[in-house]
């Protein structure tokens, strides 16, 4: 458990969450509390259930057992005298609106500009006034470092820029909670740093975040707590310094050593690119702004 003491109610309170697909149990009783302003990095090998758990939190998947509360709301169900009743699609959509999600693939509307992509949901879903939304969307573009790109279409933006628009789009709904599912893993290595920088700032500004990531230096620097999942259970969790630097379980140790090897390959890639006289990248490497960050 985190050594941080939290007084108030958790923002996310998940209790014994189970989920199967066609008889294959993917989540085997996940308990997780995330407190307001806390950043939790979720690590684990492929197939361990990380994406499924995030999708259960925002009700893109229904759960088979257990309960998930977000800000006191029981997700997906109404509890009437101890009996659970499914919420309607409309009620679930209302709950989901409070939660921002950023995926590996950004899925921006290709025929809309960056600004229009960000403005879409607050206007269409929340029915907000266009002028106010526009102002907020412009501020968000600035926040993600794309002040000069309001009129750019996704195809005119790099992967890193598109992902930053996707983050701004999620923030435009003024979510209570942000879920990130490997937001940098589809990016060219040299574009990872700019996205992590935006996420780092968001964390500093106090956003509550659950981040599935393989970016160990990001987890080490930004996470209040690291949760290692394997085979649909939480194997180990705690402050990044404990879990990443001194894992207790064999499964955590072997996963982390694989990650370190990947990080090493990533650094080598960046150095090679830098040697091909790409000074921006060299600055990244030297400034520790990349996915790999400073070495141990
Ligand atoms: N819609 C689905 N239908 C059937 N099986 C699914 C579905 N979604 C996920 N699974 C299975 O559930 C297991 C966990 O998948 P999940 O995507 O949650 O893992 P993950 O930890 O996010 O992995 P990765 O690191 O590869 O993204 C996998 O065995 C996967 O094949
Ligand atoms: Mg996944």
């Amino acid at each position: 458990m985190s050594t941080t003491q939290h007084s108030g109610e958790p923002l996310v309170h998940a209790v014994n969450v189970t989920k199967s697909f066609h008889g294959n149990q993917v989540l085997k009783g996940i308990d997780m509390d995330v407190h307001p302003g806390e950043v939790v990095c979720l690590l684990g090998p492929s197939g361990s259930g990380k994406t499924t758990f995030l999708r259960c939190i925002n009700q893109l998947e229904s759960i088979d057992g257990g309960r998930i509360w977000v800000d006191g709301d029981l997700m997906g169900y109404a509890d009437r005298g101890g009996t659970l009743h499914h919420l309607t699609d409309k009620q679930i959509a209302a709950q989901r609106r409070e939660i921002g999600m950023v995926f590996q693939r950004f899925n921006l509307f290709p025929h809309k500009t960056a600004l229009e992509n960000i403005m879409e949901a607050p206007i269409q879903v929340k029915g907000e006034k266009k002028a106010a939304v526009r102002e907020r969307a412009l501020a968000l573009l600035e926040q993600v470092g794309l002040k000069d790109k309001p009129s750019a279409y996704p195809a005119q933006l790099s992967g890193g820029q598109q992902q930053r628009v996707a983050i701004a789009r999620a923030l435009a709904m003024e979510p209570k909670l942000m879920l990130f599912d490997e937001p940098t893993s589809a990016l060219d290595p040299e574009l990872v740093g700019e996205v992590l920088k935006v996420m780092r700032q968001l964390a500093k500004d106090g956003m509550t975040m659950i981040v599935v990531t393989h970016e160990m230096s990001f987890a080490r620097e930004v996470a209040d707590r690291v949760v290692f999942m394997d085979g649909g259970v939480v194997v180990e969790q705690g402050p990044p310094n404990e879990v990443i630097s001194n894992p207790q379980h064999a499964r955590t140790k072997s996963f982390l050593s694989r990650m370190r090897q990947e990080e090493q390959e990533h650094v080598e890639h960046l150095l090679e690119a830098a040697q091909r006289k790409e000074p921006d990248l060299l600055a990244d490497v030297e400034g520790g702004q990349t996915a790999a960050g400073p070495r141990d």
Side-chain angles (χ1 to χ4, degrees), residues 46-64:
S46 184
S48 56
K50 306 178 299 294
T51 295
T52 304
F53 183 61
L54 286 193
R55 289 172 59 86
C56 286
I57 293 176
N58 79 347
Q59 294 294 300
L60 288 170
E61 301 287 355
S62 61
I63 61 179
D64 299 337

